Amino acid sequence: MHLNIKKTKENNKLTTGDWIKLAVFFVVYFFFIKSKDSIINYPYWLLLAVFAIVLIISAIFQSRKIREDYSKIEKRDKLLFLGINTIKIAVIAYFVSGILLIPFNYYTIYNSKKNNLSVENCEITGLSTYSKNRSIFYKFKGKTNVINGFKPIMESIKDNGKFENYYFVVEVRKSICNTYVLENWSIKEK
């Protein structure tokens, strides 16, 4: 019994190569997040479609290994095993979906460069100035959007709905799939 536990612990350790792969994976995913943040009216249907496809493919590829491991697990741990593997597959599918959409995001940004810059005054619908989640919620062409960022004026207008007396001013360029690429933003009094 003791030997089996030791062998399991050795099999579950991450090697240096695993850590390097994980770090590279997160750096690449960071490019997806940064590119997606500058796109207004992001087509989330596309993200969901890619996620669903990757999820199905991941589940198919992992099913044989999961079935083999499932048969070796004690009855009381089977539900936990299935839950952990379901979450693992979903998380991997989400990250892979983001990585697959990096070319789309950068093409969207590239495509917008041929269009003229336009300035829009948007209604601010909310503010968050917490140190780890500084965000502005605004309406752009009828849709509510959020941008993470901070300008000093946000501190003074956050309380008691003062933000309603201000516009969120965006400089955007139209792009594909009814998206707009955010070039710059500011807050100004109405």
Side-chain angles (χ1 to χ4, degrees):
M1 175 83 175
H2 185 275
L3 182 62
N4 193 15
I5 291 173
K6 187 175 181 182
K7 186 177 179 182
T8 302
K9 285 182 181 179
E10 287 175 8
N11 289 342
N12 288 334
K13 286 186 180 179
L14 290 175
T15 65
T16 304
D18 293 335
W19 283 108
I20 291 171
K21 289 176 197 172
L22 196 60
V24 168
F25 188 72
F26 278 110
V27 167
V28 171
Y29 187 74
F30 174 78
F31 285 104
F32 165 71
I33 294 297
K34 290 318 267 177
S35 64
K36 185 175 90 45
D37 283 349
S38 67
I39 300 172
I40 299 175
N41 290 346
Y42 192 83
Y44 285 100
W45 60 267
L46 182 61
L47 178 61
L48 290 173
V50 171
F51 171 74
I53 292 167
V54 172
L55 183 67
I56 290 167
I57 292 170
S58 297
I60 290 169
F61 279 118
Q62 292 289 319
S63 65
R64 192 169 91 223
K65 179 162 179 9
I66 290 172
R67 271 188 263 129
E68 288 171 5
D69 292 345
Y70 184 78
S71 64
K72 298 174 187 173
I73 292 179
E74 293 181 30
K75 187 175 182 175
R76 64 182 177 157
D77 295 334
K78 289 188 181 217
L79 186 61
L80 179 62
F81 174 80
L82 288 176
I84 289 171
N85 278 288
T86 301
I87 291 169
K88 179 179 84 171
I89 290 171
V91 168
I92 289 170
Y94 179 75
F95 279 101
V96 171
S97 300
I99 290 169
L100 291 175
L101 285 172
I102 289 173
F104 170 80
N105 292 354
Y106 281 100
Y107 178 73
T108 300
I109 293 166
Y110 170 78
N111 183 276
S112 74
K113 299 296 182 197
K114 67 182 179 187
N115 295 321
N116 293 329
L117 191 67
S118 67
V119 178
E120 302 267 343
N121 291 329
C122 304
E123 174 190 348
I124 298 174
T125 59
L127 282 175
S128 171
T129 56
Y130 297 110
S131 63
K132 293 186 181 186
N133 187 23
R134 295 177 174 186
S135 306
I136 300 172
F137 300 88
Y138 62 98
K139 284 203 182 259
F140 178 82
K141 301 202 182 276
K143 290 185 179 178
T144 300
N145 292 279
V146 64
I147 185 167
N148 297 318
F150 183 76
K151 302 253 179 177
I153 192 170
M154 290 170 61
E155 283 293 338
S156 62
I157 67 171
K158 72 175 180 180
D159 296 324
N160 301 324
K162 290 180 188 174
F163 61 82
E164 293 174 354
N165 299 324
Y166 290 82
Y167 284 120
F168 181 70
V169 182
V170 294
E171 295 177 17
V172 295
R173 294 180 193 273
K174 186 153 177 52
S175 192
I176 59 173
C177 296
N178 197 31
T179 60
Y180 292 82
V181 175
L182 181 66
E183 297 288 337
N184 199 6
W185 63 272
S186 63
I187 297 173
K188 76 173 188 179
E189 197 165 1
K190 289 183 179 178

Short mmCIF file of all heavy atoms in Angstrom, two decimals, residues 97-150:
data_model
loop_
_atom_site.label_atom_id
_atom_site.label_comp_id
_atom_site.label_asym_id
_atom_site.label_seq_id
_atom_site.Cartn_x
_atom_site.Cartn_y
_atom_site.Cartn_z
N SER A 97 -9.35 27.28 -26.97
CA SER A 97 -10.24 28.11 -27.79
C SER A 97 -9.69 29.53 -27.89
O SER A 97 -9.68 30.12 -28.97
CB SER A 97 -11.64 28.16 -27.20
OG SER A 97 -12.20 26.89 -27.13
N GLY A 98 -9.26 30.06 -26.76
CA GLY A 98 -8.68 31.40 -26.77
C GLY A 98 -7.44 31.48 -27.64
O GLY A 98 -7.26 32.43 -28.41
N ILE A 99 -6.60 30.48 -27.54
CA ILE A 99 -5.38 30.46 -28.35
C ILE A 99 -5.72 30.36 -29.84
O ILE A 99 -5.12 31.04 -30.67
CB ILE A 99 -4.45 29.32 -27.89
CG1 ILE A 99 -3.89 29.67 -26.50
CG2 ILE A 99 -3.34 29.09 -28.88
CD1 ILE A 99 -3.18 28.53 -25.81
N LEU A 100 -6.72 29.54 -30.18
CA LEU A 100 -7.12 29.41 -31.58
C LEU A 100 -7.71 30.70 -32.14
O LEU A 100 -7.66 30.94 -33.35
CB LEU A 100 -8.11 28.26 -31.75
CG LEU A 100 -7.56 26.86 -31.54
CD1 LEU A 100 -8.68 25.83 -31.61
CD2 LEU A 100 -6.48 26.55 -32.56
N LEU A 101 -8.27 31.55 -31.28
CA LEU A 101 -8.88 32.79 -31.74
C LEU A 101 -7.91 33.97 -31.82
O LEU A 101 -8.29 35.05 -32.26
CB LEU A 101 -10.07 33.15 -30.84
CG LEU A 101 -11.31 32.30 -31.08
CD1 LEU A 101 -12.37 32.58 -30.03
CD2 LEU A 101 -11.87 32.51 -32.46
N ILE A 102 -6.66 33.77 -31.43
CA ILE A 102 -5.68 34.85 -31.51
C ILE A 102 -5.56 35.38 -32.94
O ILE A 102 -5.60 36.60 -33.15
CB ILE A 102 -4.31 34.42 -30.94
CG1 ILE A 102 -4.41 34.28 -29.42
CG2 ILE A 102 -3.21 35.41 -31.31
CD1 ILE A 102 -3.17 33.69 -28.77
N PRO A 103 -5.43 34.52 -33.96
CA PRO A 103 -5.36 35.06 -35.34
C PRO A 103 -6.59 35.89 -35.72
O PRO A 103 -6.47 36.93 -36.37
CB PRO A 103 -5.23 33.82 -36.21
CG PRO A 103 -4.67 32.77 -35.31
CD PRO A 103 -5.23 33.07 -33.95
N PHE A 104 -7.78 35.44 -35.31
CA PHE A 104 -9.00 36.19 -35.61
C PHE A 104 -8.93 37.58 -34.96
O PHE A 104 -9.24 38.58 -35.60
CB PHE A 104 -10.25 35.45 -35.11
CG PHE A 104 -11.49 36.28 -35.16
CD1 PHE A 104 -12.17 36.45 -36.35
CD2 PHE A 104 -11.97 36.92 -34.02
CE1 PHE A 104 -13.31 37.25 -36.41
CE2 PHE A 104 -13.10 37.70 -34.08
CZ PHE A 104 -13.77 37.87 -35.27
N ASN A 105 -8.50 37.63 -33.71
CA ASN A 105 -8.43 38.90 -33.00
C ASN A 105 -7.46 39.86 -33.67
O ASN A 105 -7.78 41.03 -33.88
CB ASN A 105 -8.02 38.69 -31.55
CG ASN A 105 -9.07 37.98 -30.75
OD1 ASN A 105 -10.17 37.71 -31.22
ND2 ASN A 105 -8.75 37.62 -29.52
N TYR A 106 -6.29 39.37 -34.02
CA TYR A 106 -5.31 40.25 -34.63
C TYR A 106 -5.70 40.63 -36.06
O TYR A 106 -5.40 41.73 -36.51
CB TYR A 106 -3.89 39.66 -34.55
CG TYR A 106 -3.33 39.88 -33.17
CD1 TYR A 106 -3.33 38.86 -32.23
CD2 TYR A 106 -2.84 41.13 -32.79
CE1 TYR A 106 -2.86 39.08 -30.94
CE2 TYR A 106 -2.35 41.35 -31.52
CZ TYR A 106 -2.36 40.32 -30.60
OH TYR A 106 -1.90 40.55 -29.33
N TYR A 107 -6.42 39.75 -36.76
CA TYR A 107 -6.93 40.12 -38.07
C TYR A 107 -7.99 41.21 -37.92
O TYR A 107 -8.05 42.14 -38.73
CB TYR A 107 -7.50 38.92 -38.82
CG TYR A 107 -8.06 39.32 -40.16
CD1 TYR A 107 -7.21 39.66 -41.21
CD2 TYR A 107 -9.44 39.42 -40.36
CE1 TYR A 107 -7.72 40.07 -42.43
CE2 TYR A 107 -9.94 39.83 -41.58
CZ TYR A 107 -9.08 40.16 -42.60
OH TYR A 107 -9.58 40.58 -43.81
N THR A 108 -8.83 41.10 -36.92
CA THR A 108 -9.85 42.11 -36.65
C THR A 108 -9.19 43.47 -36.41
O THR A 108 -9.61 44.49 -36.94
CB THR A 108 -10.71 41.71 -35.44
OG1 THR A 108 -11.34 40.46 -35.72
CG2 THR A 108 -11.77 42.74 -35.12
N ILE A 109 -8.14 43.47 -35.60
CA ILE A 109 -7.42 44.71 -35.32
C ILE A 109 -6.75 45.24 -36.59
O ILE A 109 -6.84 46.43 -36.91
CB ILE A 109 -6.39 44.48 -34.19
CG1 ILE A 109 -7.13 44.19 -32.87
CG2 ILE A 109 -5.47 45.69 -34.03
CD1 ILE A 109 -6.25 43.63 -31.77
N TYR A 110 -6.09 44.36 -37.33
CA TYR A 110 -5.42 44.74 -38.58
C TYR A 110 -6.42 45.30 -39.59
O TYR A 110 -6.17 46.33 -40.22
CB TYR A 110 -4.69 43.52 -39.16
CG TYR A 110 -4.15 43.73 -40.54
CD1 TYR A 110 -2.98 44.45 -40.75
CD2 TYR A 110 -4.83 43.23 -41.65
CE1 TYR A 110 -2.48 44.65 -42.03
CE2 TYR A 110 -4.34 43.42 -42.93
CZ TYR A 110 -3.17 44.14 -43.11
OH TYR A 110 -2.70 44.34 -44.38
N ASN A 111 -7.56 44.63 -39.74
CA ASN A 111 -8.59 45.04 -40.70
C ASN A 111 -9.15 46.42 -40.38
O ASN A 111 -9.53 47.16 -41.28
CB ASN A 111 -9.71 44.00 -40.72
CG ASN A 111 -10.77 44.31 -41.73
OD1 ASN A 111 -11.68 45.08 -41.46
ND2 ASN A 111 -10.64 43.71 -42.90
N SER A 112 -9.21 46.78 -39.10
CA SER A 112 -9.78 48.07 -38.72
C SER A 112 -8.90 49.24 -39.14
O SER A 112 -9.40 50.35 -39.29
CB SER A 112 -9.99 48.12 -37.20
OG SER A 112 -8.75 48.26 -36.53
N LYS A 113 -7.62 49.01 -39.33
CA LYS A 113 -6.68 50.10 -39.64
C LYS A 113 -7.01 50.81 -40.95
O LYS A 113 -6.65 51.96 -41.13
CB LYS A 113 -5.23 49.58 -39.69
CG LYS A 113 -4.74 48.99 -38.40
CD LYS A 113 -4.68 49.99 -37.29
CE LYS A 113 -4.13 49.35 -36.02
NZ LYS A 113 -4.40 50.12 -34.85
N LYS A 114 -7.72 50.13 -41.85
CA LYS A 114 -8.05 50.76 -43.13
C LYS A 114 -9.27 51.68 -43.03
O LYS A 114 -9.59 52.41 -43.95
CB LYS A 114 -8.27 49.71 -44.22
CG LYS A 114 -9.48 48.83 -44.00
CD LYS A 114 -9.59 47.78 -45.09
CE LYS A 114 -10.80 46.91 -44.84
NZ LYS A 114 -10.88 45.80 -45.73
N ASN A 115 -9.96 51.64 -41.89
CA ASN A 115 -11.14 52.47 -41.69
C ASN A 115 -10.80 53.73 -40.90
O ASN A 115 -9.84 53.76 -40.13
CB ASN A 115 -12.23 51.68 -40.98
CG ASN A 115 -12.72 50.53 -41.83
OD1 ASN A 115 -12.87 50.66 -43.04
ND2 ASN A 115 -12.95 49.38 -41.21
N ASN A 116 -11.65 54.75 -41.07
CA ASN A 116 -11.43 56.02 -40.38
C ASN A 116 -11.72 55.90 -38.89
O ASN A 116 -12.57 55.11 -38.47
CB ASN A 116 -12.33 57.11 -40.98
CG ASN A 116 -11.93 57.45 -42.40
OD1 ASN A 116 -10.77 57.36 -42.76
ND2 ASN A 116 -12.91 57.83 -43.21
N LEU A 117 -11.04 56.73 -38.14
CA LEU A 117 -11.26 56.80 -36.70
C LEU A 117 -12.52 57.62 -36.45
O LEU A 117 -12.72 58.67 -37.05
CB LEU A 117 -10.04 57.48 -36.06
CG LEU A 117 -9.94 57.45 -34.55
CD1 LEU A 117 -9.70 56.02 -34.07
CD2 LEU A 117 -8.77 58.33 -34.09
N SER A 118 -13.39 57.11 -35.58
CA SER A 118 -14.58 57.87 -35.20
C SER A 118 -14.64 57.99 -33.69
O SER A 118 -14.10 57.15 -32.96
CB SER A 118 -15.85 57.19 -35.74
OG SER A 118 -16.06 55.96 -35.12
N VAL A 119 -15.26 59.06 -33.24
CA VAL A 119 -15.37 59.34 -31.81
C VAL A 119 -16.83 59.21 -31.41
O VAL A 119 -17.71 59.75 -32.07
CB VAL A 119 -14.84 60.75 -31.48
CG1 VAL A 119 -15.00 61.06 -30.00
CG2 VAL A 119 -13.39 60.90 -31.90
N GLU A 120 -17.08 58.45 -30.35
CA GLU A 120 -18.45 58.23 -29.86
C GLU A 120 -18.52 58.59 -28.38
O GLU A 120 -17.64 58.24 -27.60
CB GLU A 120 -18.83 56.75 -30.00
CG GLU A 120 -18.75 56.20 -31.40
CD GLU A 120 -20.06 56.28 -32.14
OE1 GLU A 120 -21.11 56.45 -31.50
OE2 GLU A 120 -20.02 56.16 -33.37
N ASN A 121 -19.60 59.30 -28.01
CA ASN A 121 -19.88 59.56 -26.60
C ASN A 121 -20.82 58.47 -26.10
O ASN A 121 -21.94 58.32 -26.60
CB ASN A 121 -20.55 60.93 -26.42
CG ASN A 121 -19.60 62.07 -26.72
OD1 ASN A 121 -18.41 61.96 -26.52
ND2 ASN A 121 -20.14 63.17 -27.21
N CYS A 122 -20.37 57.71 -25.13
CA CYS A 122 -21.15 56.57 -24.62
C CYS A 122 -21.62 56.86 -23.20
O CYS A 122 -20.91 57.46 -22.39
CB CYS A 122 -20.29 55.31 -24.61
SG CYS A 122 -19.59 54.90 -26.21
N GLU A 123 -22.81 56.37 -22.90
CA GLU A 123 -23.38 56.50 -21.56
C GLU A 123 -22.63 55.56 -20.61
O GLU A 123 -22.45 54.38 -20.90
CB GLU A 123 -24.86 56.14 -21.59
CG GLU A 123 -25.52 56.09 -20.25
CD GLU A 123 -26.91 55.49 -20.32
OE1 GLU A 123 -27.45 55.32 -21.42
OE2 GLU A 123 -27.44 55.16 -19.24
N ILE A 124 -22.19 56.08 -19.47
CA ILE A 124 -21.55 55.25 -18.45
C ILE A 124 -22.66 54.64 -17.61
O ILE A 124 -23.52 55.35 -17.09
CB ILE A 124 -20.59 56.06 -17.57
CG1 ILE A 124 -19.47 56.65 -18.41
CG2 ILE A 124 -20.02 55.19 -16.45
CD1 ILE A 124 -18.53 57.58 -17.65
N THR A 125 -22.67 53.32 -17.48
CA THR A 125 -23.71 52.65 -16.70
C THR A 125 -23.20 52.13 -15.35
O THR A 125 -23.98 51.70 -14.53
CB THR A 125 -24.32 51.47 -17.49
OG1 THR A 125 -23.29 50.55 -17.82
CG2 THR A 125 -25.00 51.98 -18.76
N GLY A 126 -21.89 52.17 -15.15
CA GLY A 126 -21.34 51.73 -13.87
C GLY A 126 -19.84 51.88 -13.83
O GLY A 126 -19.18 51.96 -14.87
N LEU A 127 -19.31 51.92 -12.61
CA LEU A 127 -17.87 52.04 -12.40
C LEU A 127 -17.45 51.09 -11.28
O LEU A 127 -18.19 50.89 -10.32
CB LEU A 127 -17.49 53.45 -11.95
CG LEU A 127 -17.41 54.54 -12.97
CD1 LEU A 127 -17.13 55.87 -12.28
CD2 LEU A 127 -16.33 54.29 -13.98
N SER A 128 -16.27 50.55 -11.41
CA SER A 128 -15.67 49.76 -10.34
C SER A 128 -14.25 50.26 -10.17
O SER A 128 -13.48 50.25 -11.13
CB SER A 128 -15.69 48.28 -10.69
OG SER A 128 -14.93 47.55 -9.76
N THR A 129 -13.90 50.70 -8.97
CA THR A 129 -12.55 51.22 -8.75
C THR A 129 -11.77 50.39 -7.75
O THR A 129 -10.78 50.84 -7.21
CB THR A 129 -12.60 52.68 -8.26
OG1 THR A 129 -13.41 52.76 -7.09
CG2 THR A 129 -13.15 53.60 -9.34
N TYR A 130 -12.22 49.16 -7.50
CA TYR A 130 -11.46 48.28 -6.62
C TYR A 130 -10.10 48.03 -7.25
O TYR A 130 -9.98 47.90 -8.47
CB TYR A 130 -12.18 46.95 -6.40
CG TYR A 130 -13.52 47.12 -5.71
CD1 TYR A 130 -14.70 46.90 -6.40
CD2 TYR A 130 -13.59 47.53 -4.39
CE1 TYR A 130 -15.93 47.08 -5.79
CE2 TYR A 130 -14.81 47.70 -3.77
CZ TYR A 130 -15.97 47.47 -4.46
OH TYR A 130 -17.17 47.65 -3.85
N SER A 131 -9.08 47.94 -6.44
CA SER A 131 -7.71 47.89 -6.96
C SER A 131 -7.45 46.75 -7.93
O SER A 131 -6.66 46.88 -8.84
CB SER A 131 -6.71 47.82 -5.80
OG SER A 131 -6.89 46.63 -5.07
N LYS A 132 -8.13 45.62 -7.78
CA LYS A 132 -7.88 44.50 -8.68
C LYS A 132 -8.90 44.40 -9.81
O LYS A 132 -8.79 43.53 -10.66
CB LYS A 132 -7.86 43.19 -7.89
CG LYS A 132 -6.69 43.13 -6.95
CD LYS A 132 -6.59 41.80 -6.28
CE LYS A 132 -5.39 41.83 -5.33
NZ LYS A 132 -5.11 40.58 -4.73
N ASN A 133 -9.91 45.26 -9.81
CA ASN A 133 -10.95 45.16 -10.82
C ASN A 133 -11.45 46.56 -11.19
O ASN A 133 -12.60 46.88 -10.97
CB ASN A 133 -12.10 44.30 -10.29
CG ASN A 133 -13.12 44.01 -11.35
OD1 ASN A 133 -12.85 44.08 -12.53
ND2 ASN A 133 -14.33 43.71 -10.94
N ARG A 134 -10.59 47.35 -11.75
CA ARG A 134 -10.97 48.71 -12.14
C ARG A 134 -11.60 48.65 -13.52
O ARG A 134 -10.93 48.37 -14.50
CB ARG A 134 -9.75 49.61 -12.12
CG ARG A 134 -9.22 49.77 -10.72
CD ARG A 134 -8.00 50.60 -10.67
NE ARG A 134 -7.64 50.81 -9.27
CZ ARG A 134 -6.69 51.60 -8.88
NH1 ARG A 134 -5.98 52.27 -9.76
NH2 ARG A 134 -6.42 51.74 -7.61
N SER A 135 -12.90 48.93 -13.56
CA SER A 135 -13.65 48.75 -14.81
C SER A 135 -14.66 49.86 -15.01
O SER A 135 -15.15 50.45 -14.05
CB SER A 135 -14.40 47.42 -14.79
OG SER A 135 -13.55 46.36 -14.51
N ILE A 136 -14.99 50.09 -16.27
CA ILE A 136 -16.05 51.01 -16.65
C ILE A 136 -17.05 50.23 -17.48
O ILE A 136 -16.69 49.53 -18.42
CB ILE A 136 -15.51 52.18 -17.49
CG1 ILE A 136 -14.47 52.97 -16.70
CG2 ILE A 136 -16.64 53.08 -17.95
CD1 ILE A 136 -13.76 54.01 -17.51
N PHE A 137 -18.32 50.35 -17.11
CA PHE A 137 -19.40 49.73 -17.86
C PHE A 137 -20.07 50.84 -18.66
O PHE A 137 -20.42 51.88 -18.10
CB PHE A 137 -20.40 49.07 -16.90
CG PHE A 137 -19.78 48.00 -16.05
CD1 PHE A 137 -19.18 48.31 -14.84
CD2 PHE A 137 -19.79 46.69 -16.47
CE1 PHE A 137 -18.59 47.34 -14.07
CE2 PHE A 137 -19.21 45.69 -15.70
CZ PHE A 137 -18.60 46.02 -14.50
N TYR A 138 -20.25 50.62 -19.95
CA TYR A 138 -20.79 51.68 -20.81
C TYR A 138 -21.63 51.06 -21.92
O TYR A 138 -21.52 49.88 -22.23
CB TYR A 138 -19.65 52.51 -21.41
CG TYR A 138 -18.72 51.72 -22.30
CD1 TYR A 138 -18.88 51.73 -23.68
CD2 TYR A 138 -17.70 50.94 -21.76
CE1 TYR A 138 -18.04 50.99 -24.50
CE2 TYR A 138 -16.85 50.21 -22.57
CZ TYR A 138 -17.03 50.23 -23.94
OH TYR A 138 -16.20 49.50 -24.74
N LYS A 139 -22.50 51.90 -22.50
CA LYS A 139 -23.32 51.47 -23.63
C LYS A 139 -22.72 52.01 -24.92
O LYS A 139 -22.52 53.21 -25.06
CB LYS A 139 -24.75 51.97 -23.47
CG LYS A 139 -25.54 51.21 -22.47
CD LYS A 139 -27.02 51.36 -22.77
CE LYS A 139 -27.82 50.63 -21.73
NZ LYS A 139 -28.28 49.37 -22.17
N PHE A 140 -22.44 51.08 -25.83
CA PHE A 140 -21.91 51.45 -27.13
C PHE A 140 -22.85 50.88 -28.18
O PHE A 140 -23.03 49.67 -28.28
CB PHE A 140 -20.50 50.88 -27.31
CG PHE A 140 -19.89 51.18 -28.65
CD1 PHE A 140 -19.31 52.41 -28.89
CD2 PHE A 140 -19.92 50.25 -29.67
CE1 PHE A 140 -18.74 52.69 -30.12
CE2 PHE A 140 -19.36 50.52 -30.90
CZ PHE A 140 -18.77 51.75 -31.13
N LYS A 141 -23.50 51.78 -28.92
CA LYS A 141 -24.47 51.38 -29.96
C LYS A 141 -25.52 50.42 -29.40
O LYS A 141 -25.86 49.41 -30.00
CB LYS A 141 -23.75 50.79 -31.17
CG LYS A 141 -22.78 51.77 -31.81
CD LYS A 141 -22.49 51.43 -33.22
CE LYS A 141 -21.49 52.40 -33.80
NZ LYS A 141 -22.03 53.62 -34.31
N GLY A 142 -26.01 50.72 -28.19
CA GLY A 142 -27.10 49.96 -27.59
C GLY A 142 -26.68 48.73 -26.80
O GLY A 142 -27.51 48.13 -26.13
N LYS A 143 -25.41 48.34 -26.86
CA LYS A 143 -24.95 47.16 -26.13
C LYS A 143 -24.06 47.58 -24.97
O LYS A 143 -23.21 48.46 -25.11
CB LYS A 143 -24.15 46.23 -27.04
CG LYS A 143 -24.97 45.53 -28.08
CD LYS A 143 -24.09 44.56 -28.84
CE LYS A 143 -24.88 43.80 -29.89
NZ LYS A 143 -24.02 42.89 -30.65
N THR A 144 -24.25 46.91 -23.83
CA THR A 144 -23.41 47.20 -22.68
C THR A 144 -22.07 46.48 -22.84
O THR A 144 -22.02 45.31 -23.18
CB THR A 144 -24.09 46.74 -21.38
OG1 THR A 144 -25.33 47.45 -21.25
CG2 THR A 144 -23.23 47.03 -20.17
N ASN A 145 -21.01 47.22 -22.61
CA ASN A 145 -19.65 46.70 -22.70
C ASN A 145 -18.91 47.06 -21.43
O ASN A 145 -19.35 47.92 -20.65
CB ASN A 145 -18.92 47.32 -23.90
CG ASN A 145 -19.48 46.87 -25.21
OD1 ASN A 145 -19.16 45.79 -25.68
ND2 ASN A 145 -20.33 47.68 -25.82
N VAL A 146 -17.78 46.44 -21.23
CA VAL A 146 -16.94 46.74 -20.07
C VAL A 146 -15.50 46.84 -20.54
O VAL A 146 -15.08 46.11 -21.44
CB VAL A 146 -17.10 45.68 -18.95
CG1 VAL A 146 -16.63 44.31 -19.42
CG2 VAL A 146 -16.37 46.08 -17.69
N ILE A 147 -14.79 47.77 -19.95
CA ILE A 147 -13.36 47.88 -20.22
C ILE A 147 -12.65 47.95 -18.88
O ILE A 147 -13.12 48.60 -17.95
CB ILE A 147 -13.02 49.11 -21.09
CG1 ILE A 147 -11.54 49.10 -21.44
CG2 ILE A 147 -13.40 50.39 -20.42
CD1 ILE A 147 -11.16 50.07 -22.53
N ASN A 148 -11.56 47.23 -18.80
CA ASN A 148 -10.73 47.27 -17.60
C ASN A 148 -9.68 48.34 -17.81
O ASN A 148 -8.97 48.34 -18.80
CB ASN A 148 -10.07 45.91 -17.35
CG ASN A 148 -11.10 44.84 -17.09
OD1 ASN A 148 -12.06 45.06 -16.38
ND2 ASN A 148 -10.92 43.69 -17.70
N GLY A 149 -9.63 49.26 -16.87
CA GLY A 149 -8.66 50.35 -16.97
C GLY A 149 -8.94 51.35 -15.89
O GLY A 149 -9.91 51.24 -15.13
N PHE A 150 -8.09 52.34 -15.80
CA PHE A 150 -8.25 53.32 -14.75
C PHE A 150 -7.75 54.68 -15.20
O PHE A 150 -6.72 54.79 -15.86
CB PHE A 150 -7.48 52.89 -13.49
CG PHE A 150 -7.66 53.84 -12.34
CD1 PHE A 150 -8.84 53.83 -11.62
CD2 PHE A 150 -6.67 54.74 -12.01
CE1 PHE A 150 -9.02 54.71 -10.56
CE2 PHE A 150 -6.84 55.62 -10.96
CZ PHE A 150 -8.02 55.60 -10.23
#
